Amino acid sequence: MPYLSPALNVMTTAARKAGRKLIRDFGEVENLQISLKGPADFVSVADQRTESILVGELQKARPGYNFLVEEAGVIEGPDKSHRFVIDPLDGTTNFLHGIPHFAISIGLEREGQMVSAVVYNPVTDEMYTAEKSHGAYLNDKRLRVAARRELRASLAATGIPFLGHGDHGRFEKELHAVMAVTSGVRRFGSAALDLAYVAAGRFDAFWEHDLKPWDLAAGMLLVREAGGVVSDLEGGARMLETGAVLASNEPLHPQFLKLLKEARRS
Ligand code: 2AM
Ligand code: CA
């Protein structure tokens, strides 16, 4: 059985409740694809509503905690030692296009340290949880990062910059280097799930630039509690400040770090 701290219990309950609503909205989005205007406005309302459900549930259970959330930003509370970091809908572009790959991400910091994490895909009902020093789980199953040691056998995930966002030239250099020496590269569109998949040993590595703290907070703890390594793309610990991340297992992490660094310099 998964390790369920009181905080994780509260967080999974909130994620399941918000997830039920998100699934109903997702059904509606699929219907709206054929309208000329598309479902964009509907999705931004669904996103905000999911966030309100999560914040409401968590505030009820943990009055006084602080929040950093994607839509509303900072919500201050008197308990300065605790902060929830929340992405109500990670993988918004997938959701908008009727692609069932998105998640709710909730991290809890205590004294600035990430201690509990939930990433929940309501479509597949996959609940990823982690508690600091108590391991990471997918539903009832304990997670462990993949054991692969060689780049040639590894499958990497990333995020691709898009219209008006990110450094396209830098990404082309990185992709060029990684695709030449690995088994393949995937772009699934949800950083929180990409990290959860590294924790589950599905992806051997995940790297991306320009992410926000709420994309990363919960997933980083999942990877670490599954025995993996998370750093920024210089090998440091400034993921939340720089938005750059590399998550992998112990043998592959330094290899990917070197490969990506050299690619950017080329
Ligand atoms: P989102 O779906 O919550 O927007 C995909 O590459 C990852 O990048 C997703 O986790 C996505 O989160 C995030 N992302 C997408 N657009 C972004 C933007 N404009 N700024 C920062 N992160 C973004
Ligand atoms: Ca996000």
Side-chain angles (χ1 to χ4, degrees), residues 117-230:
V118 164
V119 172
Y120 180 53
N121 178 343
V123 177
T124 57
D125 197 27
E126 287 185 309
M127 178 70 78
Y128 296 87
T129 56
E131 179 81 10
K132 188 160 175 41
S133 307
H134 291 278
Y137 290 81
L138 164 51
N139 297 330
D140 288 345
K141 201 176 111 215
R142 179 91 187 237
L143 294 181
R144 182 82 206 149
V145 291
R148 290 185 195 87
R149 316 177 68 86
E150 294 187 340
L151 286 172
R152 57 183 300 126
S154 67
L155 183 64
T158 187
I160 307 179
F162 49 95
L163 178 65
H165 286 271
D167 184 333
H168 294 207
R170 178 179 63 190
F171 176 76
E172 283 170 4
K173 288 181 184 173
E174 290 176 339
L175 181 63
H176 184 80
V178 174
M179 70 194 217
V181 297
T182 58
S183 285
V185 180
R186 299 289 182 270
R187 194 297 190 242
F188 282 8
S190 159
L193 284 175
D194 289 336
L195 289 163
Y197 280 26
V198 171
R202 294 173 180 175
F203 292 142
D204 299 292
F206 166 63
W207 91 94
E208 188 164 347
H209 298 267
D210 305 319
L211 292 168
K212 303 289 185 198
W214 45 81
D215 302 318
L216 293 167
M220 278 170 38
L221 185 63
L222 288 173
V223 173
R224 286 182 170 150
E225 286 299 318
V229 183
V230 183

Side-chain angles (χ1 to χ4, degrees), residues 57-69:
E57 287 295 304
L58 293 169
Q59 275 177 333
K60 239 192 297 174
R62 292 291 184 271
Y65 280 22
N66 288 261
F67 288 80
L68 175 65
V69 288

Side-chain angles (χ1 to χ4, degrees), residues 70 87 89-92 191-192 211-212 214-215:
E70 185 175 12
D87 192 340
L89 174 54
D90 189 57
T92 314
L211 292 168
K212 303 289 185 198
W214 45 81
D215 302 318

